[in-house]
Amino acid sequence: MNPFATFSVRDFGAKGDGLTLDTAALQAAIDACTQAGGGTVFVPAGDYLTGTLILKDNIDLHLAAQARILGSTSLADYPGDSMYTTCLIAARGAKNLQISGSGVIDGQGKAFPYGTEGFNFEDEDAAPSTQTYIRPFLLHLADCTNLRLSGVTLQHSAAWGCHIERGKEVRIEGVHLFNRANQNNDGFDLSSCEDVMISDCHVDCGDDAFALKYGGIRIAITNCIISTRWAAFRIGPEATGIFRDITISNCVVHDTYGSGIKIQQVEGGVMENVLFDNIVMNNVTGPISLRL
């Protein structure tokens, strides 16, 4: 990776006017950066309307202040075939990947229809229809090693905010995640990840803020401020694997309905060495929920 190589998306034809679909230009800059051995894909100030972008090895996607990546409001611009593969920014098997800067990644999620998906049993009467819909996640990063998110604002996904699957050596710091535009509006979902450090984040979302699924080893979450419709910290109920050596500390949870801490070990996996320390809660319904 050449840290001094910079590829501005403007040089690849991106308009940044919020009206022109810039998917091809943004992806061309990403591909060129990877082919050159890596570097920075620079997104200057502007509004860049785009469908799915695929990030690759040795890239720092850097958003300048007043730069916004805006998700297209047309599902046709997202080529995934399911809820878990349809997303605005994706990566699979990438190494040395970073998303950084002071800019915004905005999914414009309010534009996507929803039905009963994402409604719990007590809320189903509020669903607009009995039909279910595919809605794009904001970030879906799978099987990535040495992954870092820093400084950016992630907001207004049509579904989950940031889903990391089987990630190793993950660092998330100083991220603002605001996600209440639609349903299933989780914050960070970590599925079977190892060696994760999350710190100094502000999370305000409509569903679980930090959800650990299927397993997780050596995970530390600290110094975060959280408000959510459901759990601030949830482990399970997707709990078929091993949750081990997890510490969550020095966090403030406020105005949260579905538990500050929710542990659901119901599928035969293992949970051990899990520590919660110095968690302040204010206006939280059911502060601790255990289902074993």
Side-chain angles (χ1 to χ4, degrees):
M1 179 177 179
N2 180 0
F4 303 107
T6 299
F7 299 78
S8 173
V9 298
R10 293 277 190 179
D11 293 339
F12 291 82
K15 301 299 183 184
D17 58 12
L19 300 173
T20 304
L21 191 65
D22 281 327
T23 310
L26 296 177
Q27 190 63 55
I30 292 166
D31 294 344
C33 185
T34 296
Q35 290 166 9
T40 298
V41 175
F42 180 62
V43 184
D47 293 332
Y48 300 86
L49 184 68
T50 181
T52 299
L53 299 174
I54 309 296
L55 301 184
K56 301 177 181 180
D57 291 351
N58 304 321
I59 283 179
D60 176 7
L61 179 65
H62 186 85
L63 282 70
Q66 298 183 335
R68 291 197 304 169
I69 292 177
L70 300 177
S72 168
T73 57
S74 172
L75 194 61
D77 293 322
Y78 302 88
D81 58 4
S82 74
M83 170 180 168
Y84 294 96
T85 59
T86 302
C87 58
L88 179 57
I89 294 180
R92 183 170 295 276
K95 297 180 176 63
N96 307 322
L97 176 61
Q98 179 166 277
I99 301 174
S100 66
S102 302
V104 175
I105 300 174
D106 187 320
Q108 300 198 102
K110 191 174 182 179
F112 292 87
Y114 59 89
T116 55
E117 72 275 18
F119 283 87
N120 288 274
F121 67 92
E122 62 191 57
D123 294 330
E124 283 185 349
D125 289 345
S129 76
T130 57
Q131 184 177 352
T132 58
Y133 297 87
I134 291 177
R135 290 169 288 118
F137 288 13
L138 202 62
L139 274 62
H140 181 203
L141 310 171
D143 302 299
C144 295
T145 302
N146 193 17
L147 170 65
R148 184 173 181 179
L149 309 179
S150 63
V152 294
T153 295
L154 308 176
Q155 66 185 27
H156 307 327
S157 176
W160 292 2
C162 178
H163 184 205
I164 301 175
E165 286 190 280
R166 299 176 297 277
K168 294 183 178 180
E169 295 293 340
V170 178
R171 302 290 181 269
I172 301 173
E173 54 190 354
V175 171
H176 294 242
L177 197 158
F178 304 128
N179 199 22
R180 291 183 183 264
N182 206 299
Q183 290 296 312
N184 287 118
N185 281 162
D186 285 19
F188 295 99
D189 291 87
L190 307 175
S191 300
S192 302
C193 292
E194 298 182 16
D195 300 312
V196 178
M197 295 180 64
I198 301 175
S199 66
D200 306 292
C201 294
H202 186 186
V203 181
D204 188 327
C205 58
D207 212 321
D208 300 322
F210 292 94
L212 278 57
K213 302 172 180 289
Y214 302 107
I217 298 175
R218 296 181 298 275
I219 296 174
I221 302 172
T222 190
N223 295 351
C224 295
I225 297 174
I226 301 155
S227 178
T228 176
R229 174 69 172 86
W230 288 105
F233 305 105
R234 173 177 157 184
I235 303 177
E238 300 93 338
T240 55
I242 297 173
F243 296 91
R244 179 182 290 140
D245 300 338
I246 297 168
T247 178
I248 298 171
S249 63
N250 300 341
C251 292
V252 175
V253 181
H254 66 97
D255 301 308
T256 291
Y257 176 78
S259 297
I261 297 169
K262 183 178 287 186
I263 296 176
Q264 300 168 301
Q265 174 55 293
V266 298
E267 293 185 345
V270 174
M271 288 186 187
E272 58 187 16
N273 300 343
V274 178
L275 171 68
F276 292 87
D277 180 60
N278 199 28
I279 309 297
V280 175
M281 300 189 195
N282 182 31
N283 192 27
V284 173
T285 301
I288 299 174
S289 172
L290 299 175
R291 182 155 62 98
L292 305 175

